[in-house]
């Protein structure tokens, strides 16, 4: 999921994740260190208590009474209350520790078991906790026991010289509470720190990524420019590209690339303009000699000539006419490329299609022509002569590149502010390798399009250029037995259906 987010979000999230991991690690190590320190202090206190004279049990008799206490003990805690040397109380060696466990065992017999409470009194050690307590081996290090009735205690077992095993324990409740408070404090501090770090990190990352956003914005604006055609003004550049930073280096590299692309586009534009100008000038200049050739050929044919001379003049006239058509097509394409405006009048597209199909039927009576027109006239805005040329070229293309007897269907429809003229035939279709290039200039197939049938390879290119100049378009789909050309023209006044 994180991969689908923006770079700013990923940086902030990863920073917070690393900070959270570091906080957890620091908190865990701190809690363990504090717990170990408190445990060491508790063990030191526990060992000092266990070695105190009052808990050594050296004065206990080996004859336990019925309740597990010394027969000669009179103290409430089960220890001899006879004063030692000087009549001192043997409990005076005990430090003031709350809930102190003191249990003495001899030969698996409990001599004494009591707990010093926080209030300063004593209570009997719960019998239910004795098995857990007596499982501690004597002579070892202090261990932690979870006594069912008393809770968690740190306990040590010491075997004295008279064979008595003394079990001494101190509660871990305060220690665990301290650790819990520490962990809670660390969690609260970590949460507050992460929240503040997230806000500050978002602000800092946003500020640091602003140069990269400028680079992306520049690249986005450049990607929207139509660089494939026409005159291109590539003035977009990344502002403030600091070469001392990584993002600035990317911006500077993008600026250099745009400089090179701009220079290449200007060179391409100059080359195209020169080529267009050359084609226009050449086409214009060739029109005059071609017209003269055709005129002289027609004039020569009026007199008596031999059959051979007549045939030669016919071929001259035919080729001159073909060259004239080619020159006119080139001149038209050059003018359209130069962006010269076309005539704009209301055109009755229904009448135009009907006349074009009638002319095609007269020129190719061997084909079966079918016409489908709407009940109401379709009116568009455009150049009538150029639109007539578009429909004528499509019909001539269907007639020329399909065998005799092929059915050609012409359909005119209007809807959603668009007029559509479809020319479909049942011929062999367009080769798949040629289909993407049929609207290019001088596009020819290896067999279906030959120079002998009079095709110049510019008819469909003119259709595409004229449609583009009218704000429309042309498309083609083809498979054996079904080839369909569709031209689309916008209807400026959809409600106007009558001329």
């Amino acid at each position: 999921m994180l991969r689908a987010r923006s770079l700013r979000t990923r940086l902030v999230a990863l920073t917070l994740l690393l900070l959270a991991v570091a906080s957890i690690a620091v908190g865990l190590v701190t809690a363990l260190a504090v717990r170990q320190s408190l445990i060491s202090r508790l063990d030191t206190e526990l060992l000092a208590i266990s070695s105190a004279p009052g808990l050594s049990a050296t004065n206990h008799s080996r004859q336990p009474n019925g309740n597990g206490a010394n027969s000669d003990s009179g103290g409430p805690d089960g220890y001899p209350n006879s004063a030692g040397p000087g009549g001192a109380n043997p409990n005076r060696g005990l430090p003031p520790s709350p809930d102190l466990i003191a249990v003495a065992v001899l030969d698996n017999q409990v001599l004494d078991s009591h707990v010093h409470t926080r209030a300063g009194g004593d209570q009997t050690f719960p019998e239910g906790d004795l098995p857990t307590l007596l499982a501690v081996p004597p002579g070892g290090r202090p261990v932690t026991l979870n006594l069912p009735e008393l809770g968690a205690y740190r306990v040590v077992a010491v075997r004295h010289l008279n064979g008595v095993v003394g079990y001494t324990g101190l509660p871990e409740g305060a220690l665990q509470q301290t650790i819990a408070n520490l962990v809670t404090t660390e969690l609260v501090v970590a949460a507050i720190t992460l929240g503040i770090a997230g806000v500050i990190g978002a602000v800092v990352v946003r500020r640091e990524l602003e140069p990269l956003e400028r680079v992306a914005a520049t690249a986005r604006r450049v990607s929207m420019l139509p660089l494939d055609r026409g005159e291109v003004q590539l003035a977009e550049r990344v502002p403030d590209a600091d070469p001392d930073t990584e993002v600035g280096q990317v911006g500077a590299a993008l600026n250099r690339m745009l400089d090179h692309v701009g220079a290449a586009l200007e060179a391409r534009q100059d080359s195209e303009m020169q080529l267009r100008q050359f084609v226009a000038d050449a086409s214009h200049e060739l029109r005059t000699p071609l017209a003269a050739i055709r005129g002289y050929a027609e004039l020569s044919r009026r007199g008596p000539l031999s059959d051979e001379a007549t045939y030669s003049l016919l071929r001259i006239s035919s080729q001159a006419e073909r060259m004239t058509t080619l020159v006119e097509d080139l001149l038209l394409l050059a003018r359209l490329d130069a962006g010269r405006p076309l005539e704009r009048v209301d055109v009755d597209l229904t009448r135009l299609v009907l006349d074009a199909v009638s002319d095609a039927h007269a020129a190719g009576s061997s084909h079966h022509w079918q016409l489908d027109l709407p009940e109401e006239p379709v009116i568009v805005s455009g150049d009538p002569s150029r639109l007539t040329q578009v429909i004528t070229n499509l019909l001539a293309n269907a007639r020329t590149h399909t065998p005799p007897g092929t059915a050609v269907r012409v359909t005119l429809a209007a809807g959603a502010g668009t007029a559509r003229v479809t020319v479909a035939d049942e011929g062999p279709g367009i080769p798949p390798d040629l289909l993407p290039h049929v609207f290019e200039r001088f596009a020819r197939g290896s067999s279906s399009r030959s120079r002998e049938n009079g095709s110049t390879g510019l008819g469909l290119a003119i259709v595409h250029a004229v449609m583009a100049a009218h704000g429309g378009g042309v498309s083609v789909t083809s498979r054996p037995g079904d080839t369909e050309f569709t031209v689309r023209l916008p209807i400026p006044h959809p409600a106007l259906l009558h001329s």
Side-chain angles (χ1 to χ4, degrees), residues 217-288:
T218 302
R220 184 166 53 252
R221 290 193 297 270
V222 171
S223 66
M224 298 174 64
L225 295 176
L227 304 180
D228 58 333
R229 62 187 181 275
E231 185 176 358
V232 179
Q233 295 293 334
L234 196 58
E236 297 290 345
R237 294 295 184 273
V238 179
D240 303 328
D242 186 3
D244 295 333
T245 63
E246 290 80 359
V247 177
Q249 293 173 8
V250 174
L254 181 60
N255 287 341
R256 289 194 298 271
M257 183 185 70
L258 292 177
D259 291 337
H260 295 321
V261 172
L265 291 175
E266 290 179 0
R268 185 214 69 182
Q269 180 66 18
D270 293 340
S271 177
E272 288 184 358
M273 291 300 297
Q274 293 176 3
L275 180 59
R276 292 173 183 174
Q277 188 63 38
F278 168 76
V279 171
D281 293 343
S283 301
H284 184 73
E285 293 297 330
L286 285 174
R287 295 171 73 186
T288 301

Side-chain angles (χ1 to χ4, degrees), residues 268-316:
R268 185 214 69 182
Q269 180 66 18
D270 293 340
S271 177
E272 288 184 358
M273 291 300 297
Q274 293 176 3
L275 180 59
R276 292 173 183 174
Q277 188 63 38
F278 168 76
V279 171
D281 293 343
S283 301
H284 184 73
E285 293 297 330
L286 285 174
R287 295 171 73 186
T288 301
L290 284 174
I293 292 174
R294 292 178 61 187
Y296 283 118
E298 291 293 334
L299 181 62
S300 300
R301 289 167 55 188
R302 294 179 182 178
L305 295 173
S306 63
D307 293 341
E308 182 177 355
T310 302
Y311 176 76
S312 297
L313 290 175
L314 287 174
R315 294 301 301 162
I316 291 174

Side-chain angles (χ1 to χ4, degrees), residues 397-398 401-403 406 425-435 438 445-449 476-485:
N397 182 76
H401 303 301
T402 57
T406 302
D425 64 71
E426 300 176 358
I430 302 174
D433 57 341
L434 178 62
L435 189 60
V438 292
S446 57
S447 58
S448 64
R449 295 171 181 264
V476 59
T477 59
S478 180
R479 62 177 182 270
D482 184 14
T483 299
E484 184 177 289
F485 286 86

Side-chain angles (χ1 to χ4, degrees), residues 364-381:
S365 58
S366 60
H367 286 68
H368 300 292
W369 300 93
Q370 303 172 4
L371 182 59
D372 185 6
L373 297 175
E375 295 181 359
E376 298 292 336
V378 178
I379 308 300
V380 297
S381 176

Side-chain angles (χ1 to χ4, degrees), residues 290 320-330 454 456 458:
L290 284 174
E321 184 176 355
R322 184 173 183 276
M323 290 180 63
T324 301
T325 302
L326 176 60
V327 169
E328 293 291 343
D329 290 344
L330 288 174
T456 63
L458 296 176

Side-chain angles (χ1 to χ4, degrees), residues 87-447:
N89 187 349
N91 288 336
R92 66 184 178 181
L94 295 175
S97 178
D99 296 344
L100 171 66
I101 294 176
V103 177
V105 178
L106 177 63
D107 296 334
N108 294 327
Q109 295 293 325
V110 177
L111 301 179
D112 180 55
S113 62
H114 60 275
V115 178
H116 292 278
T117 64
R118 289 184 176 88
D122 293 336
Q123 68 181 31
T124 304
F125 187 84
E127 293 184 3
D129 290 343
L130 281 175
T132 304
L133 181 68
L134 298 181
V136 178
R141 297 289 301 170
V143 296
T144 298
L145 293 181
N146 289 316
L147 301 176
E149 298 188 27
L150 295 180
Y153 270 77
R154 193 72 174 172
V155 177
V156 65
V158 178
R159 186 182 297 277
H160 299 284
L161 295 178
N162 57 1
V164 175
V165 178
Y167 294 87
T168 308
L170 289 174
E172 287 190 8
L175 182 149
Q176 293 179 354
Q177 185 62 39
T178 301
I179 298 300
N181 293 337
L182 175 62
V183 172
T184 302
T185 302
E186 288 178 341
L187 290 177
V188 172
V189 172
I192 295 176
T193 302
L194 288 176
I196 297 175
V199 175
I200 297 177
V203 174
V204 172
V205 169
R206 177 185 292 274
R207 185 186 64 185
E208 294 299 323
L209 289 182
E210 285 181 355
L212 187 59
E213 292 178 350
R214 291 197 293 268
V215 173
T218 302
R220 184 166 53 252
R221 290 193 297 270
V222 171
S223 66
M224 298 174 64
L225 295 176
L227 304 180
D228 58 333
R229 62 187 181 275
E231 185 176 358
V232 179
Q233 295 293 334
L234 196 58
E236 297 290 345
R237 294 295 184 273
V238 179
D240 303 328
D242 186 3
D244 295 333
T245 63
E246 290 80 359
V247 177
Q249 293 173 8
V250 174
L254 181 60
N255 287 341
R256 289 194 298 271
M257 183 185 70
L258 292 177
D259 291 337
H260 295 321
V261 172
L265 291 175
E266 290 179 0
R268 185 214 69 182
Q269 180 66 18
D270 293 340
S271 177
E272 288 184 358
M273 291 300 297
Q274 293 176 3
L275 180 59
R276 292 173 183 174
Q277 188 63 38
F278 168 76
V279 171
D281 293 343
S283 301
H284 184 73
E285 293 297 330
L286 285 174
R287 295 171 73 186
T288 301
L290 284 174
I293 292 174
R294 292 178 61 187
Y296 283 118
E298 291 293 334
L299 181 62
S300 300
R301 289 167 55 188
R302 294 179 182 178
L305 295 173
S306 63
D307 293 341
E308 182 177 355
T310 302
Y311 176 76
S312 297
L313 290 175
L314 287 174
R315 294 301 301 162
I316 291 174
S317 178
S318 175
Q319 293 302 316
E321 184 176 355
R322 184 173 183 276
M323 290 180 63
T324 301
T325 302
L326 176 60
V327 169
E328 293 291 343
D329 290 344
L330 288 174
L331 184 59
L332 173 60
L333 287 174
R335 289 174 176 174
L336 292 175
D337 289 341
R340 293 188 182 182
L342 298 176
E343 182 183 0
R344 291 285 182 171
V345 297
D346 288 342
V347 179
D348 186 349
L349 196 58
T350 304
R351 171 59 61 182
L352 188 149
V353 171
L354 179 60
D355 293 342
V357 172
S358 298
D359 295 342
H361 184 271
S365 58
S366 60
H367 286 68
H368 300 292
W369 300 93
Q370 303 172 4
L371 182 59
D372 185 6
L373 297 175
E375 295 181 359
E376 298 292 336
V378 178
I379 308 300
V380 297
S381 176
D383 189 325
S385 61
R386 298 308 172 200
L387 293 179
T388 300
Q389 188 175 8
V390 166
I391 305 302
T392 301
N393 284 358
L394 291 178
L395 296 178
N397 182 76
R399 183 185 71 251
T400 303
H401 303 301
T402 57
T406 302
V408 181
R409 183 178 65 259
V410 182
T411 304
L412 173 62
T418 303
R420 294 179 301 277
V421 179
T422 303
V423 179
D425 64 71
E426 300 176 358
I430 302 174
D433 57 341
L434 178 62
L435 189 60
H437 310 286
V438 292
F439 296 111
E440 297 178 1
R441 298 170 188 185
F442 300 106
R444 298 176 183 271
S446 57
S447 58

